[in-house]
Amino acid sequence: MGRWAPGAQGRLEQAALDLYVEQGFENTTVSEIAERAGLTERTFFRYFADKREVLFSGAEALKEFLVSTTLGAPDTAPPMEAVALALEAAGAALQERGMAAKRRHGVIMANPELQERELIKMASWAADLADALRKRGVEDPTATLAAETSMAVFRVAFTDWVQEPKKRDLPQTIRASLDQLRTITTDR
Amino acid sequence: MGRWAPGAQGRLEQAALDLYVEQGFENTTVSEIAERAGLTERTFFRYFADKREVLFSGAEALKEFLVSTTLGAPDTAPPMEAVALALEAAGAALQERGMAAKRRHGVIMANPELQERELIKMASWAADLADALRKRGVEDPTATLAAETSMAVFRVAFTDWVQEPKKRDLPQTIRASLDQLRTITTDR
């Protein structure tokens, strides 16, 4: 396979996910991933630092999308609404990935080290979301509070959606979780 | 120093925190901590697995306190109120540690590896809090949503309190953050 194999990154991601689901993340080597994708290990390392990073390669783009959607929300939108719009948009993007997003989630939940990496990723998203809110003129601690709780909402909604995907789509599930957060914070 | 040196654990914790603040966590060795406490390295390892764990030795007890307070909240308390009572009680316990809690926070914020460990600790607290809520008859996703968002509130309130400790005590700051969460979830 040549250096510029078309769609190499996507094929590596697909092969890695297949193997992680089939035989477990721990038991899969970079060599196996490359072989399954019909590529070389060298090509793998052109795209990913290690086998873990295959699962997190889309995270940066999704975070930037969250941030730009938050920044682009109508000026009149209160903090949680600005973030809600961003979460729904990110949810719609994830929904398009369909089964890949669900299978990725299953792989991560099966491995403590990956769960830790996922936690760190979400914390970094929360920090950047808080930053976006501050740019919108929201002061701390409100900005941090809105960002951190909305990431909690996102995590809960995503897990809910993965478990019962037929009931609602992901953006609807996110909106329902935000509504539920309002209910439980009011009803006390 | 003998094997049963009185207050050895507390002296080691104090010595470790002093050194981490003075010269940085990275630059401090177990040998230095033991020497500062007037104890041996052997004694150190009787209490702590490594120099990082000195900072997390109280976490398990605090988590159990959070869980038992949640379980012990009045039967009529809605989920967020049950958790709020637990957070306030934990806040009061932390407040009693005073400067030690604040200095610990400073050490953790200065080191990415410690921040990750702190994130993982908080995630484990959230999981156990959700479990306590389920034992109170709260169903998922409400139980997880209440637990995860309340940990976000706790984190924000704690940071706020560390930065401006004179304004309010920690339980008041936690209650104020919960009130603020209600405001921002309603106002959107």
Side-chain angles (χ1 to χ4, degrees), chain B residues 29-66:
Chain B
T29 64
V30 167
S31 161
E32 288 173 304
I33 296 167
E35 193 189 335
R36 175 74 65 104
L39 295 163
T40 62
E41 280 191 62
R42 219 186 121 125
T43 304
F44 178 94
F45 288 115
R46 201 168 293 137
Y47 292 100
F48 307 106
D50 53 42
K51 67 173 183 169
R52 192 181 69 166
E53 286 315 301
V54 184
L55 294 163
F56 294 93
S57 63
E60 198 60 29
L62 200 55
K63 181 170 78 172
E64 275 160 30
F65 183 59
L66 268 177

Side-chain angles (χ1 to χ4, degrees), chain A residues 15-186:
Chain A
L17 204 47
D18 285 349
L19 287 165
Y20 297 163
V21 170
E22 285 167 27
Q23 62 190 36
F25 173 79
E26 300 85 344
N27 305 321
T28 302
T29 64
V30 167
S31 161
E32 288 173 303
I33 297 168
E35 193 188 336
R36 175 74 65 104
L39 296 162
T40 62
E41 280 191 64
R42 218 185 122 123
T43 304
F44 178 94
F45 289 115
R46 201 170 292 138
Y47 293 99
F48 306 107
D50 54 42
K51 68 173 182 169
R52 193 181 70 166
E53 287 314 302
V54 183
L55 294 163
F56 294 93
S57 63
E60 198 60 29
L62 200 55
K63 181 169 79 172
E64 275 160 30
F65 182 58
L66 268 177
V67 166
S68 64
T69 313
T70 303
L71 289 172
D75 288 348
T76 52
M80 279 306 265
E81 185 58 25
V83 172
L85 291 167
L87 294 185
E88 285 178 285
L94 271 176
Q95 167 108 11
E96 276 187 32
R97 295 190 201 167
M99 273 312 288
K102 284 170 211 163
R103 293 166 79 217
R104 175 187 177 280
H105 182 76
V107 170
I108 286 174
M109 287 303 110
N111 180 293
E113 183 213 334
L114 295 175
Q115 286 178 46
E116 292 182 4
R117 176 75 175 78
E118 182 81 349
L119 270 178
I120 292 158
K121 181 195 86 174
M122 300 287 276
S124 135
W125 287 13
D128 283 20
L129 265 186
D131 207 37
L133 287 173
R134 282 189 290 268
K135 284 188 186 141
R136 289 177 60 86
V138 181
E139 286 180 17
D140 261 331
T142 306
T144 305
L145 191 61
E148 295 248 353
T149 52
S150 71
M151 288 322 299
V153 164
F154 186 78
R155 202 156 44 221
V156 169
F158 187 82
T159 308
D160 202 26
W161 173 71
V162 166
Q163 284 163 358
E164 299 190 64
K166 297 235 168 96
K167 269 199 321 202
R168 286 177 301 220
D169 69 20
L170 182 53
Q172 283 172 330
T173 311
I174 290 167
R175 182 59 68 170
S177 286
L178 281 161
D179 288 345
Q180 201 186 15
L181 179 61
R182 174 165 45 197
T183 305
I184 62 175
T185 52
T186 310

Side-chain angles (χ1 to χ4, degrees), chain B residues 6-40:
Chain B
Q9 182 171 354
R11 276 157 57 200
L12 288 163
E13 285 171 353
Q14 172 82 48
L17 204 46
D18 285 348
L19 287 164
Y20 298 163
V21 170
E22 285 168 26
Q23 63 190 36
F25 173 78
E26 299 85 345
N27 305 320
T28 301
T29 64
V30 167
S31 161
E32 288 173 304
I33 296 167
E35 193 189 335
R36 175 74 65 104
L39 295 163
T40 62

Side-chain angles (χ1 to χ4, degrees), chain B residues 11 25 56 58 84 104 110 135 140-141 144 148 165 168 172 174 176:
Chain B
R11 276 157 57 200
F25 173 78
F56 294 93
R104 176 187 176 280
K135 284 189 184 139
D140 261 332
T144 305
E148 295 248 354
R168 285 178 301 220
Q172 284 173 330
I174 290 167

Side-chain angles (χ1 to χ4, degrees), chain B residues 17 55 62 90-91 93-108 118 158 161-162 170:
Chain B
L17 204 46
L55 294 163
L62 200 55
L94 271 175
Q95 168 108 11
E96 274 186 34
R97 295 190 200 166
M99 273 312 288
K102 285 171 211 162
R103 292 167 79 218
R104 176 187 176 280
H105 182 76
V107 170
I108 286 174
E118 182 81 348
F158 188 82
W161 173 73
V162 166
L170 182 53

